[in-house]
Amino acid sequence: MAAVSTLTAKSGDKLDLMLWRDLGLGPEHLTRVMDANPGLADLGAILPLGTVVNVPTIAAPQTTPTRPLIQLWS
């Protein structure tokens, strides 16, 4: 059985906002989360306050290496 995280919708939350804000997940993960939550799409774009969303374990997003900021005038 796969591990699952749960998120709870705050006032005015959309699913993609919750995934990004709380877990750092992008739009490519929406389908997998929707599959794990039958009927979630029926609630509309803005989730009702307190809606619990199950998020299946997804590998952490790959981060790109950052370069140091170079300023012309210091």
Short mmCIF file of all heavy atoms in Angstrom, two decimals:
data_model
loop_
_atom_site.label_atom_id
_atom_site.label_comp_id
_atom_site.label_asym_id
_atom_site.label_seq_id
_atom_site.Cartn_x
_atom_site.Cartn_y
_atom_site.Cartn_z
N MET A 1 0.84 -1.18 0.00
CA MET A 1 0.00 0.00 0.00
C MET A 1 0.89 1.24 0.00
O MET A 1 1.81 1.36 0.78
CB MET A 1 -0.90 -0.02 1.24
CG MET A 1 -1.89 1.07 1.30
SD MET A 1 -3.06 0.69 2.62
CE MET A 1 -3.37 2.31 3.17
N ALA A 2 0.60 2.18 -0.89
CA ALA A 2 1.41 3.38 -1.00
C ALA A 2 1.06 4.37 0.11
O ALA A 2 -0.08 4.46 0.55
CB ALA A 2 1.19 4.03 -2.37
N ALA A 3 2.05 5.12 0.54
CA ALA A 3 1.82 6.14 1.56
C ALA A 3 1.06 7.30 0.93
O ALA A 3 1.19 7.60 -0.25
CB ALA A 3 3.15 6.62 2.11
N VAL A 4 0.23 7.94 1.74
CA VAL A 4 -0.61 9.03 1.25
C VAL A 4 -0.50 10.20 2.21
O VAL A 4 -0.51 10.03 3.41
CB VAL A 4 -2.09 8.58 1.15
CG1 VAL A 4 -2.99 9.73 0.76
CG2 VAL A 4 -2.24 7.43 0.18
N SER A 5 -0.39 11.40 1.65
CA SER A 5 -0.44 12.63 2.44
C SER A 5 -1.85 13.18 2.31
O SER A 5 -2.53 12.94 1.32
CB SER A 5 0.54 13.67 1.90
OG SER A 5 1.85 13.21 1.95
N THR A 6 -2.29 13.94 3.29
CA THR A 6 -3.59 14.58 3.18
C THR A 6 -3.43 16.09 3.31
O THR A 6 -2.62 16.57 4.09
CB THR A 6 -4.58 14.08 4.25
OG1 THR A 6 -4.03 14.32 5.54
CG2 THR A 6 -4.87 12.62 4.09
N LEU A 7 -4.19 16.80 2.51
CA LEU A 7 -4.22 18.25 2.56
C LEU A 7 -5.66 18.67 2.83
O LEU A 7 -6.60 18.00 2.40
CB LEU A 7 -3.79 18.85 1.22
CG LEU A 7 -2.38 18.51 0.73
CD1 LEU A 7 -2.15 19.11 -0.65
CD2 LEU A 7 -1.34 19.00 1.70
N THR A 8 -5.85 19.76 3.54
CA THR A 8 -7.18 20.27 3.82
C THR A 8 -7.33 21.65 3.19
O THR A 8 -6.48 22.52 3.40
CB THR A 8 -7.42 20.36 5.34
OG1 THR A 8 -7.20 19.06 5.91
CG2 THR A 8 -8.83 20.80 5.65
N ALA A 9 -8.40 21.82 2.42
CA ALA A 9 -8.62 23.08 1.70
C ALA A 9 -8.93 24.22 2.66
O ALA A 9 -9.69 24.07 3.60
CB ALA A 9 -9.76 22.91 0.71
N LYS A 10 -8.30 25.35 2.40
CA LYS A 10 -8.58 26.59 3.11
C LYS A 10 -9.55 27.40 2.25
O LYS A 10 -9.86 27.03 1.12
CB LYS A 10 -7.29 27.38 3.33
CG LYS A 10 -6.28 26.62 4.19
CD LYS A 10 -5.00 27.39 4.30
CE LYS A 10 -3.98 26.56 5.08
NZ LYS A 10 -2.65 27.13 5.06
N SER A 11 -10.01 28.50 2.75
CA SER A 11 -10.97 29.33 2.03
C SER A 11 -10.43 29.76 0.67
O SER A 11 -9.34 30.33 0.58
CB SER A 11 -11.31 30.56 2.86
OG SER A 11 -12.24 31.37 2.19
N GLY A 12 -11.16 29.46 -0.40
CA GLY A 12 -10.79 29.88 -1.75
C GLY A 12 -9.73 29.04 -2.42
O GLY A 12 -9.25 29.41 -3.49
N ASP A 13 -9.35 27.91 -1.84
CA ASP A 13 -8.30 27.07 -2.42
C ASP A 13 -8.74 26.37 -3.70
O ASP A 13 -9.87 25.92 -3.82
CB ASP A 13 -7.84 26.00 -1.43
CG ASP A 13 -6.72 26.45 -0.54
OD1 ASP A 13 -6.17 27.54 -0.76
OD2 ASP A 13 -6.37 25.69 0.39
N LYS A 14 -7.81 26.30 -4.63
CA LYS A 14 -7.94 25.47 -5.82
C LYS A 14 -6.94 24.34 -5.66
O LYS A 14 -5.93 24.49 -4.96
CB LYS A 14 -7.64 26.28 -7.08
CG LYS A 14 -8.65 27.37 -7.34
CD LYS A 14 -8.32 28.10 -8.62
CE LYS A 14 -9.34 29.20 -8.89
NZ LYS A 14 -9.04 29.91 -10.13
N LEU A 15 -7.18 23.22 -6.31
CA LEU A 15 -6.33 22.05 -6.14
C LEU A 15 -4.88 22.34 -6.53
O LEU A 15 -3.96 22.00 -5.79
CB LEU A 15 -6.87 20.87 -6.94
CG LEU A 15 -6.09 19.57 -6.81
CD1 LEU A 15 -6.03 19.11 -5.36
CD2 LEU A 15 -6.69 18.49 -7.69
N ASP A 16 -4.67 22.99 -7.66
CA ASP A 16 -3.30 23.24 -8.09
C ASP A 16 -2.56 24.17 -7.12
O ASP A 16 -1.37 23.98 -6.86
CB ASP A 16 -3.25 23.78 -9.52
CG ASP A 16 -4.07 25.04 -9.74
OD1 ASP A 16 -4.91 25.38 -8.87
OD2 ASP A 16 -3.87 25.69 -10.78
N LEU A 17 -3.28 25.12 -6.54
CA LEU A 17 -2.66 26.02 -5.55
C LEU A 17 -2.24 25.24 -4.30
O LEU A 17 -1.14 25.41 -3.79
CB LEU A 17 -3.63 27.13 -5.15
CG LEU A 17 -3.21 27.99 -3.95
CD1 LEU A 17 -1.98 28.81 -4.30
CD2 LEU A 17 -4.33 28.88 -3.50
N MET A 18 -3.13 24.35 -3.83
CA MET A 18 -2.81 23.55 -2.64
C MET A 18 -1.59 22.68 -2.87
O MET A 18 -0.71 22.59 -2.01
CB MET A 18 -3.99 22.64 -2.28
CG MET A 18 -5.17 23.35 -1.70
SD MET A 18 -6.58 22.25 -1.44
CE MET A 18 -5.90 20.97 -0.42
N LEU A 19 -1.54 22.03 -4.04
CA LEU A 19 -0.41 21.14 -4.32
C LEU A 19 0.91 21.92 -4.39
O LEU A 19 1.93 21.47 -3.89
CB LEU A 19 -0.64 20.38 -5.64
CG LEU A 19 -1.77 19.36 -5.62
CD1 LEU A 19 -1.99 18.78 -7.01
CD2 LEU A 19 -1.49 18.27 -4.61
N TRP A 20 0.87 23.09 -4.99
CA TRP A 20 2.08 23.91 -5.12
C TRP A 20 2.51 24.47 -3.76
O TRP A 20 3.64 24.36 -3.35
CB TRP A 20 1.86 25.04 -6.11
CG TRP A 20 3.03 25.97 -6.18
CD1 TRP A 20 3.10 27.24 -5.69
CD2 TRP A 20 4.32 25.69 -6.73
NE1 TRP A 20 4.35 27.76 -5.92
CE2 TRP A 20 5.12 26.83 -6.55
CE3 TRP A 20 4.88 24.59 -7.36
CZ2 TRP A 20 6.44 26.90 -6.98
CZ3 TRP A 20 6.19 24.65 -7.78
CH2 TRP A 20 6.95 25.80 -7.59
N ARG A 21 1.56 25.08 -3.05
CA ARG A 21 1.86 25.74 -1.78
C ARG A 21 2.35 24.75 -0.72
O ARG A 21 3.32 25.01 -0.03
CB ARG A 21 0.60 26.46 -1.29
CG ARG A 21 0.79 27.17 0.06
CD ARG A 21 -0.51 27.71 0.60
NE ARG A 21 -1.42 26.60 0.88
CZ ARG A 21 -2.72 26.64 0.65
NH1 ARG A 21 -3.29 27.72 0.14
NH2 ARG A 21 -3.48 25.60 0.91
N ASP A 22 1.66 23.63 -0.59
CA ASP A 22 1.96 22.72 0.52
C ASP A 22 2.99 21.65 0.20
O ASP A 22 3.69 21.19 1.10
CB ASP A 22 0.67 22.04 1.00
CG ASP A 22 -0.35 23.05 1.54
OD1 ASP A 22 0.06 24.17 1.91
OD2 ASP A 22 -1.54 22.73 1.58
N LEU A 23 3.09 21.26 -1.08
CA LEU A 23 4.01 20.16 -1.43
C LEU A 23 4.99 20.49 -2.53
O LEU A 23 5.85 19.69 -2.85
CB LEU A 23 3.19 18.92 -1.83
CG LEU A 23 2.25 18.37 -0.75
CD1 LEU A 23 1.40 17.25 -1.32
CD2 LEU A 23 3.04 17.89 0.45
N GLY A 24 4.84 21.65 -3.16
CA GLY A 24 5.76 22.03 -4.24
C GLY A 24 5.54 21.24 -5.52
O GLY A 24 6.44 21.11 -6.33
N LEU A 25 4.32 20.72 -5.72
CA LEU A 25 4.02 19.93 -6.91
C LEU A 25 3.37 20.79 -7.97
O LEU A 25 2.58 21.68 -7.67
CB LEU A 25 3.08 18.78 -6.54
CG LEU A 25 3.61 17.80 -5.49
CD1 LEU A 25 2.54 16.77 -5.16
CD2 LEU A 25 4.87 17.13 -5.97
N GLY A 26 3.69 20.51 -9.23
CA GLY A 26 3.17 21.29 -10.34
C GLY A 26 1.98 20.64 -11.02
O GLY A 26 1.48 19.60 -10.58
N PRO A 27 1.53 21.23 -12.12
CA PRO A 27 0.33 20.75 -12.81
C PRO A 27 0.46 19.34 -13.38
O PRO A 27 -0.55 18.68 -13.61
CB PRO A 27 0.12 21.78 -13.93
CG PRO A 27 1.40 22.52 -14.05
CD PRO A 27 2.11 22.41 -12.73
N GLU A 28 1.66 18.87 -13.57
CA GLU A 28 1.84 17.51 -14.10
C GLU A 28 1.38 16.44 -13.11
O GLU A 28 1.21 15.28 -13.47
CB GLU A 28 3.30 17.27 -14.51
CG GLU A 28 4.30 17.30 -13.38
CD GLU A 28 4.82 18.70 -13.03
OE1 GLU A 28 4.29 19.70 -13.54
OE2 GLU A 28 5.76 18.77 -12.22
N HIS A 29 1.14 16.81 -11.85
CA HIS A 29 0.71 15.86 -10.82
C HIS A 29 -0.80 15.86 -10.60
O HIS A 29 -1.32 15.05 -9.84
CB HIS A 29 1.42 16.15 -9.50
CG HIS A 29 2.91 16.08 -9.61
ND1 HIS A 29 3.58 14.90 -9.78
CD2 HIS A 29 3.85 17.04 -9.60
CE1 HIS A 29 4.89 15.14 -9.87
NE2 HIS A 29 5.06 16.45 -9.76
N LEU A 30 -1.52 16.77 -11.24
CA LEU A 30 -2.96 16.90 -11.02
C LEU A 30 -3.73 15.63 -11.35
O LEU A 30 -4.60 15.21 -10.60
CB LEU A 30 -3.53 18.06 -11.83
CG LEU A 30 -3.24 19.46 -11.29
CD1 LEU A 30 -3.70 20.52 -12.28
CD2 LEU A 30 -3.91 19.65 -9.95
N THR A 31 -3.41 14.99 -12.46
CA THR A 31 -4.14 13.79 -12.88
C THR A 31 -4.02 12.68 -11.84
O THR A 31 -5.00 12.04 -11.49
CB THR A 31 -3.62 13.30 -14.24
OG1 THR A 31 -3.77 14.34 -15.19
CG2 THR A 31 -4.39 12.08 -14.71
N ARG A 32 -2.82 12.49 -11.33
CA ARG A 32 -2.60 11.43 -10.34
C ARG A 32 -3.39 11.71 -9.06
O ARG A 32 -3.97 10.82 -8.46
CB ARG A 32 -1.11 11.31 -10.06
CG ARG A 32 -0.77 10.14 -9.21
CD ARG A 32 0.70 9.84 -9.24
NE ARG A 32 0.97 8.76 -8.31
CZ ARG A 32 2.15 8.44 -7.88
NH1 ARG A 32 3.19 9.09 -8.31
NH2 ARG A 32 2.31 7.47 -7.04
N VAL A 33 -3.41 12.97 -8.64
CA VAL A 33 -4.15 13.34 -7.43
C VAL A 33 -5.65 13.21 -7.68
O VAL A 33 -6.39 12.71 -6.82
CB VAL A 33 -3.79 14.78 -6.99
CG1 VAL A 33 -4.67 15.23 -5.84
CG2 VAL A 33 -2.32 14.84 -6.58
N MET A 34 -6.13 13.62 -8.84
CA MET A 34 -7.55 13.48 -9.17
C MET A 34 -7.96 12.01 -9.18
O MET A 34 -9.05 11.67 -8.73
CB MET A 34 -7.85 14.13 -10.52
CG MET A 34 -7.65 15.63 -10.55
SD MET A 34 -8.79 16.54 -9.53
CE MET A 34 -10.25 16.43 -10.51
N ASP A 35 -7.10 11.14 -9.69
CA ASP A 35 -7.40 9.70 -9.72
C ASP A 35 -7.51 9.13 -8.30
O ASP A 35 -8.26 8.20 -8.06
CB ASP A 35 -6.33 8.94 -10.50
CG ASP A 35 -6.39 9.22 -12.00
OD1 ASP A 35 -7.41 9.73 -12.48
OD2 ASP A 35 -5.38 8.92 -12.68
N ALA A 36 -6.75 9.69 -7.38
CA ALA A 36 -6.76 9.21 -5.99
C ALA A 36 -7.94 9.76 -5.20
O ALA A 36 -8.18 9.32 -4.08
CB ALA A 36 -5.45 9.60 -5.30
N ASN A 37 -8.68 10.71 -5.77
CA ASN A 37 -9.81 11.36 -5.09
C ASN A 37 -11.04 11.37 -5.98
O ASN A 37 -11.40 12.42 -6.54
CB ASN A 37 -9.43 12.79 -4.70
CG ASN A 37 -8.32 12.84 -3.69
OD1 ASN A 37 -8.57 12.72 -2.51
ND2 ASN A 37 -7.09 13.00 -4.16
N PRO A 38 -11.72 10.23 -6.12
CA PRO A 38 -12.92 10.20 -6.97
C PRO A 38 -13.95 11.22 -6.47
O PRO A 38 -14.15 11.38 -5.27
CB PRO A 38 -13.45 8.78 -6.80
CG PRO A 38 -12.34 7.99 -6.20
CD PRO A 38 -11.44 8.96 -5.49
N GLY A 39 -14.56 11.93 -7.41
CA GLY A 39 -15.59 12.90 -7.06
C GLY A 39 -15.05 14.29 -6.75
O GLY A 39 -15.82 15.23 -6.57
N LEU A 40 -13.74 14.46 -6.69
CA LEU A 40 -13.16 15.76 -6.36
C LEU A 40 -13.49 16.80 -7.43
O LEU A 40 -13.79 17.94 -7.12
CB LEU A 40 -11.64 15.64 -6.18
CG LEU A 40 -10.91 16.84 -5.63
CD1 LEU A 40 -11.40 17.16 -4.22
CD2 LEU A 40 -9.41 16.60 -5.60
N ALA A 41 -13.48 16.39 -8.69
CA ALA A 41 -13.78 17.31 -9.78
C ALA A 41 -15.21 17.82 -9.71
O ALA A 41 -15.51 18.93 -10.16
CB ALA A 41 -13.52 16.64 -11.12
N ASP A 42 -16.11 17.04 -9.13
CA ASP A 42 -17.51 17.44 -9.02
C ASP A 42 -17.71 18.60 -8.05
O ASP A 42 -18.77 19.22 -8.04
CB ASP A 42 -18.37 16.25 -8.57
CG ASP A 42 -18.35 15.11 -9.58
OD1 ASP A 42 -18.12 15.39 -10.78
OD2 ASP A 42 -18.55 13.96 -9.17
N LEU A 43 -16.72 18.89 -7.22
CA LEU A 43 -16.84 19.96 -6.23
C LEU A 43 -16.62 21.34 -6.83
O LEU A 43 -16.89 22.35 -6.18
CB LEU A 43 -15.85 19.73 -5.07
CG LEU A 43 -16.05 18.44 -4.29
CD1 LEU A 43 -14.96 18.30 -3.23
CD2 LEU A 43 -17.42 18.41 -3.65
N GLY A 44 -16.08 21.40 -8.04
CA GLY A 44 -15.85 22.68 -8.70
C GLY A 44 -14.40 23.11 -8.61
O GLY A 44 -13.56 22.45 -7.98
N ALA A 45 -14.10 24.23 -9.27
CA ALA A 45 -12.71 24.72 -9.33
C ALA A 45 -12.22 25.18 -7.97
O ALA A 45 -11.07 24.95 -7.60
CB ALA A 45 -12.61 25.86 -10.34
N ILE A 46 -13.08 25.86 -7.22
CA ILE A 46 -12.71 26.31 -5.87
C ILE A 46 -13.28 25.30 -4.89
O ILE A 46 -14.49 25.09 -4.82
CB ILE A 46 -13.24 27.73 -5.59
CG1 ILE A 46 -12.59 28.71 -6.57
CG2 ILE A 46 -12.94 28.13 -4.14
CD1 ILE A 46 -13.08 30.13 -6.45
N LEU A 47 -12.40 24.64 -4.15
CA LEU A 47 -12.82 23.59 -3.23
C LEU A 47 -13.52 24.16 -2.01
O LEU A 47 -13.13 25.21 -1.50
CB LEU A 47 -11.60 22.77 -2.79
CG LEU A 47 -10.83 22.07 -3.91
CD1 LEU A 47 -9.56 21.43 -3.36
CD2 LEU A 47 -11.71 21.04 -4.58
N PRO A 48 -14.56 23.48 -1.55
CA PRO A 48 -15.22 23.93 -0.32
C PRO A 48 -14.25 23.89 0.87
O PRO A 48 -13.38 23.03 0.94
CB PRO A 48 -16.35 22.91 -0.13
CG PRO A 48 -16.58 22.33 -1.48
CD PRO A 48 -15.23 22.35 -2.16
N LEU A 49 -14.41 24.83 1.77
CA LEU A 49 -13.58 24.91 2.97
C LEU A 49 -13.60 23.57 3.71
O LEU A 49 -14.66 22.99 3.93
CB LEU A 49 -14.11 26.02 3.88
CG LEU A 49 -13.38 26.24 5.19
CD1 LEU A 49 -11.98 26.76 4.92
CD2 LEU A 49 -14.14 27.22 6.05
N GLY A 50 -12.42 23.07 4.06
CA GLY A 50 -12.31 21.83 4.82
C GLY A 50 -12.27 20.57 3.99
O GLY A 50 -12.17 19.47 4.55
N THR A 51 -12.32 20.68 2.66
CA THR A 51 -12.24 19.50 1.81
C THR A 51 -10.89 18.82 2.02
O THR A 51 -9.85 19.45 1.97
CB THR A 51 -12.39 19.87 0.32
OG1 THR A 51 -13.65 20.51 0.13
CG2 THR A 51 -12.28 18.66 -0.58
N VAL A 52 -10.93 17.52 2.29
CA VAL A 52 -9.70 16.75 2.50
C VAL A 52 -9.31 16.12 1.17
O VAL A 52 -10.13 15.47 0.51
CB VAL A 52 -9.90 15.67 3.58
CG1 VAL A 52 -8.65 14.81 3.71
CG2 VAL A 52 -10.24 16.33 4.91
N VAL A 53 -8.05 16.31 0.77
CA VAL A 53 -7.53 15.77 -0.48
C VAL A 53 -6.40 14.80 -0.14
O VAL A 53 -5.45 15.16 0.56
CB VAL A 53 -7.00 16.91 -1.39
CG1 VAL A 53 -6.39 16.35 -2.66
CG2 VAL A 53 -8.10 17.90 -1.70
N ASN A 54 -6.53 13.57 -0.64
CA ASN A 54 -5.47 12.57 -0.47
C ASN A 54 -4.48 12.72 -1.61
O ASN A 54 -4.87 12.73 -2.78
CB ASN A 54 -6.06 11.17 -0.46
CG ASN A 54 -6.96 10.95 0.73
OD1 ASN A 54 -6.63 11.34 1.84
ND2 ASN A 54 -8.11 10.35 0.50
N VAL A 55 -3.20 12.82 -1.26
CA VAL A 55 -2.15 12.97 -2.26
C VAL A 55 -1.25 11.74 -2.17
O VAL A 55 -0.55 11.55 -1.17
CB VAL A 55 -1.32 14.25 -2.02
CG1 VAL A 55 -0.26 14.41 -3.09
CG2 VAL A 55 -2.23 15.47 -1.97
N PRO A 56 -1.25 10.89 -3.22
CA PRO A 56 -0.37 9.72 -3.19
C PRO A 56 1.09 10.18 -3.18
O PRO A 56 1.41 11.27 -3.65
CB PRO A 56 -0.71 8.97 -4.47
CG PRO A 56 -1.43 9.94 -5.33
CD PRO A 56 -2.01 10.99 -4.44
N THR A 57 1.94 9.36 -2.62
CA THR A 57 3.36 9.71 -2.54
C THR A 57 3.91 9.92 -3.95
O THR A 57 3.77 9.07 -4.81
CB THR A 57 4.15 8.60 -1.83
OG1 THR A 57 3.61 8.44 -0.54
CG2 THR A 57 5.62 8.97 -1.74
N ILE A 58 4.49 11.08 -4.13
CA ILE A 58 5.08 11.46 -5.41
C ILE A 58 6.51 11.88 -5.12
O ILE A 58 6.77 12.58 -4.15
CB ILE A 58 4.29 12.63 -6.05
CG1 ILE A 58 2.85 12.21 -6.32
CG2 ILE A 58 4.96 13.10 -7.32
CD1 ILE A 58 1.94 13.31 -6.78
N ALA A 59 7.43 11.42 -5.96
CA ALA A 59 8.83 11.78 -5.76
C ALA A 59 8.98 13.29 -5.73
O ALA A 59 8.28 14.01 -6.45
CB ALA A 59 9.68 11.19 -6.87
N ALA A 60 9.86 13.76 -4.89
CA ALA A 60 10.10 15.21 -4.77
C ALA A 60 10.54 15.78 -6.12
O ALA A 60 11.27 15.14 -6.86
CB ALA A 60 11.17 15.48 -3.72
N PRO A 61 10.06 16.97 -6.44
CA PRO A 61 10.44 17.57 -7.72
C PRO A 61 11.94 17.83 -7.79
O PRO A 61 12.57 18.15 -6.79
CB PRO A 61 9.66 18.87 -7.76
CG PRO A 61 9.16 19.12 -6.39
CD PRO A 61 9.21 17.82 -5.65
N GLN A 62 12.48 17.64 -8.96
CA GLN A 62 13.90 17.89 -9.19
C GLN A 62 14.15 19.39 -9.21
O GLN A 62 13.41 20.12 -9.86
CB GLN A 62 14.33 17.29 -10.52
CG GLN A 62 14.12 15.80 -10.61
CD GLN A 62 15.36 15.04 -10.22
OE1 GLN A 62 16.45 15.56 -10.30
NE2 GLN A 62 15.19 13.81 -9.79
N THR A 63 15.13 19.83 -8.48
CA THR A 63 15.46 21.25 -8.51
C THR A 63 16.65 21.47 -9.43
O THR A 63 17.53 20.62 -9.54
CB THR A 63 15.81 21.78 -7.10
OG1 THR A 63 16.89 21.02 -6.59
CG2 THR A 63 14.62 21.65 -6.18
N THR A 64 16.65 22.58 -10.09
CA THR A 64 17.78 22.90 -10.96
C THR A 64 18.81 23.67 -10.16
O THR A 64 18.46 24.46 -9.27
CB THR A 64 17.32 23.76 -12.16
OG1 THR A 64 16.69 24.92 -11.66
CG2 THR A 64 16.35 22.99 -13.04
N PRO A 65 20.07 23.44 -10.42
CA PRO A 65 21.10 24.17 -9.69
C PRO A 65 20.97 25.67 -9.96
O PRO A 65 20.66 26.08 -11.07
CB PRO A 65 22.41 23.63 -10.23
CG PRO A 65 22.08 22.71 -11.34
CD PRO A 65 20.61 22.53 -11.40
N THR A 66 21.19 26.46 -8.95
CA THR A 66 21.11 27.91 -9.12
C THR A 66 22.51 28.49 -9.30
O THR A 66 23.49 27.95 -8.81
CB THR A 66 20.45 28.57 -7.90
OG1 THR A 66 21.20 28.24 -6.74
CG2 THR A 66 19.02 28.09 -7.74
N ARG A 67 22.55 29.57 -10.01
CA ARG A 67 23.81 30.26 -10.22
C ARG A 67 23.84 31.47 -9.29
O ARG A 67 22.80 32.06 -9.00
CB ARG A 67 23.92 30.75 -11.66
CG ARG A 67 23.94 29.62 -12.66
CD ARG A 67 24.10 30.19 -14.04
NE ARG A 67 23.85 29.15 -15.03
CZ ARG A 67 23.79 29.37 -16.32
NH1 ARG A 67 23.95 30.58 -16.79
NH2 ARG A 67 23.56 28.39 -17.14
N PRO A 68 25.02 31.85 -8.86
CA PRO A 68 25.09 33.05 -8.00
C PRO A 68 24.67 34.30 -8.78
O PRO A 68 24.92 34.40 -9.98
CB PRO A 68 26.56 33.11 -7.59
CG PRO A 68 27.29 32.26 -8.56
CD PRO A 68 26.31 31.26 -9.09
N LEU A 69 24.03 35.21 -8.09
CA LEU A 69 23.60 36.46 -8.69
C LEU A 69 24.80 37.37 -8.89
O LEU A 69 25.59 37.60 -7.97
CB LEU A 69 22.57 37.16 -7.79
CG LEU A 69 22.06 38.49 -8.28
CD1 LEU A 69 21.30 38.35 -9.60
CD2 LEU A 69 21.18 39.13 -7.22
N ILE A 70 24.94 37.87 -10.10
CA ILE A 70 26.05 38.78 -10.41
C ILE A 70 25.43 40.14 -10.69
O ILE A 70 24.56 40.28 -11.54
CB ILE A 70 26.85 38.31 -11.63
CG1 ILE A 70 27.47 36.93 -11.36
CG2 ILE A 70 27.92 39.33 -12.01
CD1 ILE A 70 28.13 36.30 -12.54
N GLN A 71 25.87 41.15 -9.94
CA GLN A 71 25.37 42.50 -10.15
C GLN A 71 26.48 43.36 -10.74
O GLN A 71 27.64 43.25 -10.35
CB GLN A 71 24.91 43.09 -8.82
CG GLN A 71 23.75 42.33 -8.24
CD GLN A 71 23.25 42.96 -6.96
OE1 GLN A 71 23.83 43.89 -6.44
NE2 GLN A 71 22.17 42.43 -6.43
N LEU A 72 26.10 44.23 -11.66
CA LEU A 72 27.09 45.10 -12.28
C LEU A 72 27.64 46.14 -11.34
O LEU A 72 28.80 46.48 -11.36
CB LEU A 72 26.48 45.78 -13.52
CG LEU A 72 26.05 44.84 -14.64
CD1 LEU A 72 25.40 45.64 -15.76
CD2 LEU A 72 27.23 44.05 -15.16
N TRP A 73 26.77 46.66 -10.46
CA TRP A 73 27.21 47.66 -9.51
C TRP A 73 26.87 47.19 -8.11
O TRP A 73 25.76 46.82 -7.81
CB TRP A 73 26.51 49.00 -9.76
CG TRP A 73 26.87 49.58 -11.08
CD1 TRP A 73 27.93 50.39 -11.34
CD2 TRP A 73 26.19 49.42 -12.32
NE1 TRP A 73 27.96 50.74 -12.66
CE2 TRP A 73 26.90 50.15 -13.29
CE3 TRP A 73 25.07 48.72 -12.72
CZ2 TRP A 73 26.53 50.21 -14.63
CZ3 TRP A 73 24.68 48.78 -14.04
CH2 TRP A 73 25.41 49.50 -14.97
N SER A 74 27.87 47.19 -7.26
CA SER A 74 27.64 46.75 -5.87
C SER A 74 27.78 47.90 -4.93
O SER A 74 28.52 48.80 -5.11
CB SER A 74 28.64 45.68 -5.49
OG SER A 74 28.46 44.54 -6.29
#
